[in-house]
Amino acid sequence: MGDVISELVDEAVKNDRSFYILTLILVLLLICAVWIMFRHFLKQQTKAEERAEAKQSIIESQQAFIADMRMDHQEHMRNMQIELARSQTISESLVAVTAQQQQYIEGLKSHRRTVENMDRKVDTLLLKMAEK
């Protein structure tokens, strides 16, 4: 096999015209192969750029969504703080009302005791007057 190849190479070198034609064909085949590989590389590069752009757009949309969510969350927190302040104000008002009610109840108890004491004294006086 090696002898056959060496004979073909020797014959191609001896016959300059056929050697040049074979060399040109080989060079053209190499140029075509390089061109095809370069086009394939360019296609892969274009696809990679498209994927990167798609990922970048997804990232940007996610960032915009997160920013919107943060704004909504901040607004919600502000509203909750306002409602908490209102709730505290209402609780303080309820405590004041409860204190007033307690004072009123204590006043009623005191009045009742006074009236009961007065009734006892009147009963005692009436009883003394009835005995006389």
Side-chain angles (χ1 to χ4, degrees):
M1 182 79 165
D3 293 333
V4 173
I5 293 175
S6 62
E7 281 182 32
L8 286 174
V9 171
D10 287 339
E11 220 176 282
V13 171
K14 287 180 189 174
N15 190 356
D16 289 339
R17 182 184 257 171
S18 64
F19 180 72
Y20 289 132
I21 291 172
L22 286 175
T23 305
L24 283 173
I25 290 172
L26 181 63
V27 168
L28 287 173
L29 284 174
L30 284 174
I31 289 172
C32 287
V34 168
W35 177 253
I36 290 170
M37 289 171 53
F38 181 70
R39 282 182 38 203
H40 181 70
F41 172 75
L42 288 179
K43 285 180 185 177
Q44 285 181 338
Q45 192 70 19
T46 303
K47 288 179 183 177
E49 288 175 359
E50 289 173 356
R51 283 193 301 264
E53 288 174 2
K55 286 180 182 178
Q56 184 64 30
S57 67
I58 290 171
I59 289 170
E60 289 172 358
S61 67
Q62 286 176 343
Q63 288 173 343
F65 177 74
I66 290 171
D68 287 343
M69 289 298 291
R70 282 185 188 146
M71 294 298 291
D72 290 344
H73 181 68
Q74 289 173 352
E75 183 68 26
H76 183 68
M77 291 301 290
R78 273 189 236 113
N79 290 340
M80 286 184 68
Q81 287 175 345
I82 291 169
E83 292 301 320
L84 179 62
R86 286 182 188 163
S87 173
Q88 288 174 343
T89 305
I90 291 170
S91 294
E92 290 169 0
S93 299
L94 287 175
V95 167
V97 167
T98 304
Q100 289 174 354
Q101 286 177 343
Q102 190 66 31
Q103 288 175 352
Y104 179 74
I105 291 170
E106 291 299 323
L108 286 178
K109 286 180 182 178
S110 170
H111 179 69
R112 191 179 89 203
R113 272 185 248 127
T114 305
V115 168
E116 286 175 355
N117 286 337
M118 297 273 292
D119 280 346
R120 272 190 231 130
K121 285 181 183 179
V122 167
D123 286 344
T124 305
L125 284 175
L126 286 176
L127 190 61
K128 284 184 183 179
M129 286 170 76
E131 287 178 358
K132 286 184 180 183

